[in-house]
Amino acid sequence: MNERQDAVEVVGLRKVFERRARRGLLRRAPNGAKTLIAVDGIDFRVKRGEIFGLLGPNGAGKTTTIKMLCTLLSPTSGTARVAGHDVVREAAKVRSSLGTVLTGERSVYWKLTGRENLRYYAALYRIPRRKARERIAELLERLELAGRADELVEKYSSGMKQRLALARALLPSPPILLLDEPTVGLDPQAARNLRQTIFDLQAEGKTVLLTTHYMAEADDLCDRIAIIDQGKVIALDSPAALKEGLGAKEGVRLEIQGEPNGLGDALRAVASVESVAVRPSANGVGTCELQVITSSSRRSIGPIIESVRAAGHEVVHFQVVQPTLEDVFISLTGKSLRD
Amino acid sequence: MIGTLLAIARKDLIMFFRYPINAVFRIVEPIMWLTPAFFLGRGFSVDGTATGFAAYTGTGDFFSFILLGSLLGAYISAVFWGIGYSLKMEMDSGVLESNWMTPVPRLAFLVGRTLTSLVVTTLNCTGVLLASWLLFGFSAGGPVGKAMLITLPMLAGLYGFGFAFAGLVLLMRDANTLVDVSSFLVGELSGRGFPVTVLPRALMVISLVLPTTYGFDAVRALLLGTKPLLPLGVAAVVLVGFMVAMLVLGGMAFSAIERVCRARGTLGMH
C-alpha cells in the first residue's frame, strides 16, 4: 500500500444470492429460484488511518460486504481493493494485509488455551517462532488476557473470547482491520474497553473498517460512516456532517401506552413532521416508542400530542432531543435502525 | 509451508489428547476388531491352513492377509476422516472462516488436518502389529521397505481423492455419512478384508477399476507371497499414475467447488 493509496476502495460492489427452493428430496420447485440482492452496487473509500463505519440495520448488507473484502465471499460484480490488492485476483495478498474479526465468538478453538490459539494462528501467518512468542505475550498483555492465557478458551467469558479474536486478528500486525459488529454480546464495560482499544489501534496508524448497528457506537468511534440500507449506501460522511445534514431538524421521542395502530400515519400528516419511526419500547411494560423528525419541534409539539390523544393513547414520556445518527437514518429511510 | 503443516498437526494433536479416554480407545480399538477375524479364520482352517482361502490367494495364512488389509485400510480411513470429517468439524465449530482468512493455501489446510490422523493411525498400526505378533504369532517375511514404498503413491493418490471429497463435504455440508460410506466402500472393494477374486463379476469390475486394489494386492504379494493380480512393476506404474491423476484432478475439483461455495456464500454454513 503506497502513501497516497486508500486503504479500501469499493466500486460498484454487488452481491446477489440465488436460493433454490426444493420440492421433495431432489426435485427443484418450479419457479423456485429466489434472488436476494444483499449488496447493491455500493461505492466507498476508506482512507489510511481512518476508522470507517458501515452502519445499518440487521440484513442491510454489512456483513456480506465485510466477507467480500476478506475474500470469504466472491462478488457478483464490481471491484474491491484492499491495500491496493484486488479481492478476487489477489486474494492471498489481501488476506496478508488484513486482520478480520467476524461476528460471533466461535472463531477460536475452545479446546485450546488462549496462548495455544495465538501460537497456532501465528504459524498460519508464518511469523517466526521467537517473534511470535514476543508478539503473543505483548497482545495478551495489551488485551488483558495475560492472567488467563493458559486456560482453555471454553472457560473464557464472551468479552474475553472477543478480545482473543481481536488478538488473533492483530497477530500479523496488519495495516487494515475489519471488525464485524465487534461489541455485539459484550457487557457495557467490555464494549467500552474494546472501543478504547480500537482508538489505540488508530493512534498506531491502523485503518479500521467496522460494521455496527449501534448508532452511539458509530457516532463515538467513526471518523466517517456509510449508512447502508437494503444493500445500498444511502449516506456517507462524518457523523457530525450527517447530523448537520438534518439542518434545523429536531428529534422528538414519544413513549405511548399500547399499540400505535395507525398513529404513525396520523403523525406524518402533521405539517412540520418529516418522518416517523415506531418501535416497541425496551422497558417491558407494553409501551411503544415513536421517533419523530420535525422541522420545528416548537410548532409540532401541540399537533403531535393532539394526534396521539385523538388516537386514544396516553403519552407516557415526551422528549425533544438533538438529532442522532438514528434520526439521520429515520430521516433517510422512514424507519428505525432496529426495525 | 512445512512449518504451517506441522502447526496444524500440533494443534490437532493437542486437541486429540484433550479427550484422553477417546485417544486411548482410538489406539486400542483396532486390536479388538481383529481378534474375531483371527478366531473365525481358525474355525475354517485345517491343520492351521485355510485351504479354500489358499486356493484363491496363494497363502493359507488367513489372519496375516486380513491384518495387512486392515492396516492399509486404516490409512485409507485416516485420509478420508482426516480431510472430510475434520473439514466438517471446523465448519461446525465456526473456525473454518478464521482459518481461511489467513494467507495459507486452502489445500494446505486439508493436508495438514490429515497429519494427526496419520500419526494416530501409525500408532494404531504399530500397536496392532505388536499385539498380533505377541497374541497371534504374526510375522511377515518379505521386503518390508519395498512394501512400504509401494504404499506411498497409493496414499498420495488417496489425498487427491480426499481433496475432491472435501469439496463434496463443503458442498453438501455433511460428512459423517459421506466419510463412512465412501471409506467403507473403497476399503472393502479394494480387498481390505477378502481377496477381490471371490467377488461376483459386476463387483469385481469395480474393484479392478480402483487403483487401491493393486496397492493392497502388491503389499500382500510382497509380504505374504500371495498371487498378485498384476506383475508388481505394472502395479507400481498403475499406482504412480493414480497418484498423479488424482492429485491434479482432486485439487482442481476442490478449487472449483470452493469457488462455487464462495459465490453461494455457504462457506461458513453448516
Side-chain angles (χ1 to χ4, degrees):
Chain A
M1 184 164 54
N2 66 45
E3 288 289 315
R4 298 161 76 183
Q5 207 163 37
D6 287 320
V8 179
E9 303 167 56
V10 171
V11 180
L13 196 66
R14 186 175 157 88
K15 182 68 200 176
V16 180
F17 292 110
E18 213 167 83
R19 301 274 185 250
R20 291 192 179 278
R22 290 190 181 276
R23 193 169 65 187
L25 189 62
L26 296 172
R27 288 171 62 202
R28 283 183 177 157
N31 308 319
K34 284 186 182 165
T35 298
L36 171 74
I37 302 171
V39 175
D40 196 3
I42 60 172
D43 302 274
F44 64 85
R45 286 165 189 274
V46 182
K47 295 174 199 159
R48 294 172 70 238
E50 180 175 43
I51 300 179
F52 186 94
L54 290 176
L55 174 69
N58 291 328
K62 307 183 299 287
T63 298
T64 304
T65 304
I66 291 282
K67 284 193 171 178
M68 285 192 278
L69 293 177
C70 70
T71 77
L72 285 174
L73 196 59
S74 49
T76 305
S77 60
T79 58
R81 298 178 79 81
V82 173
H85 307 299
D86 186 278
V87 295
V88 176
R89 282 171 298 172
E90 300 166 287
K93 285 182 182 168
V94 168
R95 290 198 287 267
S96 298
S97 318
L98 273 180
T100 307
V101 181
L102 294 179
T103 191
E105 48 184 46
R106 295 215 64 134
S107 65
V108 286
Y109 292 90
W110 287 23
K111 277 286 172 193
L112 295 181
T113 66
R115 195 188 305 278
E116 285 167 347
N117 264 291
L118 294 181
R119 204 180 289 152
Y120 167 65
Y121 282 102
L124 299 189
Y125 284 105
R126 292 170 196 153
I127 303 171
R129 199 172 289 184
R130 182 180 293 178
K131 198 176 162 197
R133 225 181 351 252
E134 290 165 9
R135 183 89 182 119
I136 289 167
E138 176 198 324
L139 286 169
L140 287 168
E141 199 62 52
R142 175 181 193 162
L143 293 163
E144 296 167 31
L145 291 166
R148 297 183 60 187
D150 297 311
E151 279 182 35
L152 293 184
V153 171
E154 65 188 2
K155 293 180 183 162
Y156 285 13
S157 67
S158 295
M160 291 171 75
K161 284 174 190 144
Q162 188 72 340
R163 295 206 299 276
L164 184 63
L166 183 60
R168 171 185 60 69
L170 289 170
L171 268 172
S173 300
I176 302 164
L177 279 165
L178 303 184
L179 308 177
D180 189 18
E181 304 274 6
T183 57
V184 161
L186 300 188
D187 63 61
Q189 183 60 44
R192 204 164 22 247
N193 291 346
L194 192 62
R195 283 197 285 272
Q196 185 54 50
T197 305
I198 293 171
F199 279 129
D200 294 345
L201 290 168
Q202 182 190 32
E204 290 167 20
K206 301 218 182 290
T207 306
V208 180
L209 168 56
L210 60 89
T211 73
T212 182
H213 63 276
Y214 298 137
M215 308 136 294
E217 180 168 282
D219 204 346
D220 181 32
L221 268 178
C222 300
D223 297 313
R224 286 190 310 142
I225 292 167
I227 297 181
I228 185 164
D229 185 44
Q230 295 183 339
K232 288 184 164 64
V233 172
I234 53 174
L236 194 163
D237 216 324
S238 66
L242 286 169
K243 286 182 282 188
E244 277 165 22
L246 287 177
K249 292 171 194 168
E250 291 167 299
V252 176
R253 301 263 188 280
L254 276 167
E255 193 177 345
I256 60 158
Q257 198 68 47
E259 292 296 315
N261 307 322
L263 183 58
D265 291 333
L267 291 178
R268 279 182 203 102
V270 172
S272 53
V273 169
E274 302 209 343
S275 57
V276 180
V278 182
R279 64 164 194 246
S281 173
N283 58 15
V285 292
T287 60
C288 265
E289 194 175 300
L290 294 122
Q291 290 170 272
V292 181
I293 305 295
T294 165
S295 54
S296 164
S297 62
R298 191 170 294 190
R299 274 191 288 131
S300 57
I301 284 173
I304 286 173
I305 290 180
E306 271 171 35
S307 300
V308 171
R309 286 189 178 146
H313 294 285
E314 185 191 334
V315 176
V316 177
H317 185 75
F318 185 96
Q319 189 183 12
V320 177
V321 292
Q322 289 301 306
T324 64
L325 284 175
E326 175 135 36
D327 295 321
V328 174
F329 188 80
I330 292 166
S331 159
L332 290 167
T333 66
K335 62 186 182 190
S336 161
L337 260 171
R338 278 167 278 182
D339 281 350
Chain B
M1 184 54 71
I2 301 278
T4 305
L5 295 179
L6 291 177
I8 297 170
R10 185 171 183 273
K11 176 257 301 171
D12 287 340
L13 265 181
I14 293 172
M15 286 168 62
F16 180 73
F17 285 106
R18 289 269 144 90
Y19 299 95
I21 294 174
N22 181 50
V24 170
F25 190 72
R26 281 273 306 275
I27 292 168
V28 171
E29 65 182 341
I31 301 166
M32 289 165 24
W33 295 338
L34 275 171
T35 307
F38 173 75
F39 290 113
L40 183 72
R42 253 186 149 179
F44 284 105
S45 301
V46 178
D47 297 330
T49 302
T51 45
F53 184 78
Y56 276 107
T57 62
T59 176
D61 187 357
F62 177 85
F63 180 72
S64 298
F65 187 95
I66 300 286
L67 176 67
L68 288 181
S70 295
L71 298 185
L72 288 174
Y75 281 97
I76 292 184
S77 295
V79 173
F80 275 78
W81 284 98
I83 292 183
Y85 185 68
S86 61
L87 183 70
K88 176 67 177 143
M89 290 268 284
E90 302 229 313
M91 289 164 89
D92 287 347
S93 57
V95 289
L96 184 77
E97 291 180 327
S98 59
N99 276 282
W100 284 18
M101 285 186 303
T102 65
V104 174
R106 283 154 191 185
L107 282 179
F109 281 112
L110 301 185
V111 175
R113 294 303 308 267
T114 61
L115 296 183
T116 296
S117 281
L118 292 179
V119 169
V120 172
T121 302
T122 303
L123 284 175
N124 274 339
C125 292
T126 310
V128 168
L129 282 173
L130 199 66
S132 301
W133 172 62
L134 287 172
L135 301 173
F136 310 124
F138 167 76
S139 68
V144 175
K146 220 173 180 179
M148 286 169 79
L149 207 61
I150 213 158
T151 58
L152 289 180
M154 181 177 86
L155 206 60
L158 282 169
Y159 267 85
F161 196 84
F163 295 156
F165 186 73
L168 208 59
V169 170
L170 215 52
L171 198 65
M172 310 287 286
R173 286 174 264 153
D174 177 24
N176 279 31
T177 320
L178 279 174
V179 172
D180 245 350
V181 170
S182 40
S183 160
F184 178 79
L185 282 180
V186 170
E188 291 310 316
L189 289 173
S190 303
R192 172 167 48 196
F194 49 81
V196 295
T197 44
V198 303
L199 286 170
R201 190 173 288 268
L203 283 178
M204 203 197 301
V205 169
I206 301 173
S207 278
L208 295 178
V209 168
L210 288 175
T212 41
T213 303
Y214 304 104
F216 278 76
D217 187 58
V219 169
R220 283 168 173 148
L222 283 166
L223 296 182
L224 304 176
T226 55
K227 286 181 289 193
L229 294 164
L230 291 175
L232 291 181
V234 178
V237 170
V238 167
L239 289 171
V240 170
F242 167 67
M243 173 184 80
V244 174
M246 283 317 296
L247 283 175
V248 173
L249 294 175
M252 283 166 64
F254 175 77
S255 299
I257 296 174
E258 190 254 342
R259 269 199 303 278
V260 169
C261 292
R262 248 184 315 132
R264 287 185 181 175
T266 54
L267 274 187
M269 292 183 183
H270 51 86

